[in-house]
Amino acid sequence: MGSDVIAGKVKNKEIKLMIPKYSGRRWRDSMVHINFNEKSIGNMSLLTKSPSIVEIHGIELYSYYRNKGIGSVVLQAIEKYLKQNGYNIVQIQPTYQSLGFWLKKGYKLKKPLTFEQIRLGKKFPFRALGGSGGLDEAHEVKMSKRL
């Protein structure tokens, strides 16, 4: 088992994504490592929901590397990679803090936010808006994008 490497650039420094590669299998839950200028700066997790749907469990960057365009480059590269590998839909469960980022990138809410989701999101901005964020499954927030 090796890994696929996809890359992009921010300020002429290379970003590499190390994606686990399986022969003839889809990911179950795979950690993708994000390297910038040869340093590990974060990770993300991919979970196959069906043969055409994959869920991203957040793009987590160390705080120093946030708001520098790296997350956008990472997302663009991973979306291209996923499309080339037969996925049509990407789903995410955003945090309250990341909601604006995902909306700007073309992800759509499955349902409008409720007052309770907004209240809890403001109280816990870094938790996923859903089961792990203090809300039960009936109240979780999901977003998706067709590639």
Side-chain angles (χ1 to χ4, degrees):
M1 176 168 64
S3 61
D4 286 338
V5 177
I6 57 176
K9 286 195 174 199
V10 171
K11 295 184 181 180
N12 292 322
K13 294 183 180 171
E14 193 169 54
I15 296 172
K16 290 183 183 173
L17 304 179
M18 311 300 282
I19 304 171
K21 185 176 179 180
Y22 298 97
S23 55
R25 287 182 42 209
R26 301 281 185 169
W27 308 287
R28 285 184 185 225
D29 193 4
S30 299
M31 188 63 65
V32 176
H33 299 283
I34 302 168
N35 295 316
F36 179 63
N37 202 25
E38 301 300 323
K39 292 180 186 172
S40 176
I41 63 165
N43 58 63
M44 64 193 291
S45 182
L46 300 174
L47 176 65
T48 298
K49 303 294 265 183
S50 78
S52 64
I53 300 173
V54 70
E55 185 170 328
I56 295 175
H57 285 224
I59 298 173
E60 298 176 13
L61 297 174
Y62 300 137
S63 59
Y64 175 80
Y65 297 97
R66 292 182 193 146
N67 301 312
K68 296 180 186 319
I70 294 170
S72 294
V73 171
V74 166
L75 182 61
Q76 183 179 5
I78 201 72
E79 285 178 346
K80 181 179 177 184
Y81 179 86
L82 292 170
K83 187 172 184 175
Q84 290 170 345
N85 282 276
Y87 292 98
N88 301 320
I89 297 173
V90 177
Q91 296 178 335
I92 56 118
Q93 187 175 351
T95 63
Y96 186 78
Q97 182 200 30
S98 70
L99 201 53
F101 171 82
W102 295 106
L103 288 168
K104 280 192 266 182
K105 301 303 175 192
Y107 285 76
K108 305 224 181 305
L109 288 164
K110 291 197 174 193
K111 299 187 271 188
L113 294 177
T114 66
F115 173 77
E116 184 67 3
Q117 289 167 329
I118 293 169
R119 185 186 71 74
L120 283 172
K122 287 181 178 179
K123 188 174 180 181
F124 303 106
F126 300 107
R127 286 192 190 165
L129 290 167
S132 62
L135 298 172
D136 59 32
E137 275 191 39
H139 295 98
E140 70 183 2
V141 176
K142 291 275 188 179
M143 299 179 83
S144 65
K145 179 179 180 181
R146 184 168 289 280
L147 299 178

